[in-house]
């Protein structure tokens, strides 16, 4: 399937999904949202894809937020719908039983930051700028920003970012725990691809269970999370890949996982 606002590439079990409106700094309009949901659904259904990289076209932006030009015509009800559709794309990413990595190359603002935070983790180029600048428009984040940002960086830092609308650079984002790594721009995608390929070589079914345990477990209390983990751990013992992984270790060879 081809898209007007996205580009999709494939390198073995790794898919690279690129926001592709560089002339508008990859801002997310209604068409992008529709295509993003289609692409995420297709990637989720494709058993051959085990890791996904989200990035932006051009050197200036990952995603500079929702398309502000569309805001003038939005009724409150339509705004709830738009925010919900963008938020549910982030949620789809967070719930997908595959590794999803954001490779942030430039501005990562508003809805862009909300989408990046739906990913499992973020690599940033040195030119990356993060922020939730909605307050400057007289609105607040509507697609997870008030919920996910505090979970990444803590309540006080999230409040400062959301109340001031200020942007932070990649080094500051690294310092406060929003991103895992900062790389020179030319090294961003190669590094993201290397990590994605490493994750894609693990058992997809087992990685999916680890992701679910982390996502569902951190959304509840510790005791419930630990109980959830125990069951997911037990479930890994039903997989062919657990048999292969353990056998390979004992036979002193490299495991070859079948993702079953
Ligand atoms: N929605 C719609 N269009 C956007 C956009 C957005 N969120 N972000 C950038 N653009 C457009 C600009 O309008 C401009 O289009 P034009 O060339 O047709 O005028 C183009 O992208 C380039 O942006 P420009 O502002 O000229 O680049 P810059 O380097 O001077 O500034 C930013 C970059 C990111 C600081 C600035 O574009 C900005 O503040 N964008 C809005 C960020 C935002 O508030 N996001 C949250 C939305 S809820």
């Amino acid at each position: 399937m081809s898209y007007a606002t996205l580009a999709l590439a494939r390198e073995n079990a790794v898919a690279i999904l690129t926001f592709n409106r560089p002339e508008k700094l990859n801002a997310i309009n209604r068409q992008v949202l529709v295509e993003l949901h289609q692409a995420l659904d297709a990637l989720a259904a494709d058993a051959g894809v085990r890791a996904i990289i989200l990035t932006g076209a051009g050197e200036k932006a990952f995603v500079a937020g929702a398309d502000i030009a569309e805001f003038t015509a939005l009724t409150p009800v339509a705004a709830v719908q738009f925010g919900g559709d963008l938020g549910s794309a982030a949620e789809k990413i967070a719930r997908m039983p595959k590794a999803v990595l954001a490779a942030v190359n430039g501005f990562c603002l508003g809805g862009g930051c909300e989408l990046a935070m739906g990913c499992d983790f973020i690599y940033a180029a040195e030119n990356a700028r993060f922020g939730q600048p909605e307050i400057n428009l007289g609105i607040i984040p509507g697609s997870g920003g008030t919920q996910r940002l505090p979970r990444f960086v803590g309540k006080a830092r999230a409040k400062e970012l959301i109340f001031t609308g200020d942007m932070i650079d990649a080094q500051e984002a690294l310092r406060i725990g929003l991103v895992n790594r900062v790389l020179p721009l030319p090294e961003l995608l190669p590094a993201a691809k290397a990590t994605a390929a490493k994750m894609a070589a693990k058992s997809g079914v087992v990685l999916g269970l680890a992701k679910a345990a982390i996502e569902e477990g951190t959304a509840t209390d510790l005791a419930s999370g630990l109980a959830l983990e125990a069951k997911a751990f037990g479930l890994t013992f039903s997989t062919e890949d657990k048999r292969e992984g353990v056998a390979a270790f004992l036979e002193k060879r490299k495991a070859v996982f079948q993702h079953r």
Side-chain angles (χ1 to χ4, degrees):
M1 186 150 182
S2 70
Y3 303 97
T5 65
L6 302 171
L8 187 55
R10 180 81 178 267
E11 293 184 12
N12 302 311
V14 177
I16 301 132
L17 186 59
T18 305
F19 294 100
N20 195 19
R21 293 179 79 208
E23 71 288 354
K24 293 289 177 192
L25 303 188
N26 304 318
I28 296 182
N29 61 14
R30 172 57 52 195
Q31 188 184 8
V32 178
L33 259 189
V34 168
E35 293 191 345
L36 178 60
H37 274 282
Q38 288 171 346
L40 291 174
D41 289 344
L43 291 169
D46 187 338
V49 171
R50 290 188 297 281
I52 299 163
I53 298 169
L54 249 57
T55 192
E59 297 195 346
K60 267 190 85 173
F62 173 72
V63 169
D67 192 324
I68 300 167
E70 290 193 348
F71 279 9
T72 48
L74 278 194
T75 63
V77 170
V80 170
Q81 186 73 46
F82 184 88
D85 287 349
L86 183 47
S88 65
E91 193 61 9
K92 206 172 257 184
I93 293 166
R95 297 273 162 197
M96 195 183 298
K98 304 177 190 236
V100 188
L101 198 173
V104 171
N105 53 316
F107 292 111
C108 180
L109 305 173
C113 196
E114 289 169 313
L115 280 175
M117 290 189 293
C119 296
D120 296 314
F121 51 89
I122 303 171
Y123 283 2
E126 285 167 344
N127 72 335
R129 297 285 177 279
F130 296 85
Q132 297 286 167
E134 288 88 347
I135 199 139
N136 298 326
L137 302 169
I139 60 175
I140 69 167
S143 303
T146 64
Q147 303 306 305
R148 285 208 166 86
L149 190 56
R151 285 165 165 83
F152 268 87
V153 304
K155 231 165 41 161
R157 287 199 174 101
K159 283 178 177 168
E160 188 173 355
L161 282 167
I162 291 170
F163 295 177
T164 63
D166 285 348
M167 291 186 215
I168 54 170
D169 65 17
Q171 285 302 338
E172 177 66 359
L174 179 68
R175 195 183 69 80
I176 66 176
L178 182 57
V179 311
N180 281 15
R181 281 182 76 182
V182 177
L183 297 131
L185 183 59
E187 292 169 29
L188 175 68
L189 218 46
K193 285 180 184 177
T195 301
K198 183 185 276 189
M199 296 187 293
K202 311 299 179 192
S203 165
V205 63
V206 169
L207 185 145
L209 286 169
K211 178 165 173 174
I214 294 168
E215 284 295 325
E216 292 168 32
T218 53
T220 185
D221 61 281
L222 180 62
S224 309
L226 291 172
L228 212 142
E229 182 197 68
K231 291 188 184 72
F233 173 67
L235 206 50
T236 61
F237 282 68
S238 70
T239 64
E240 287 180 27
D241 287 337
K242 174 261 165 188
R243 278 195 292 282
E244 165 63 7
V246 171
F249 176 82
L250 296 174
E251 292 161 17
K252 300 191 187 306
R253 61 177 175 82
K254 195 173 174 342
V256 181
F257 294 118
Q258 300 300 322
H259 317 292
R260 295 193 283 264

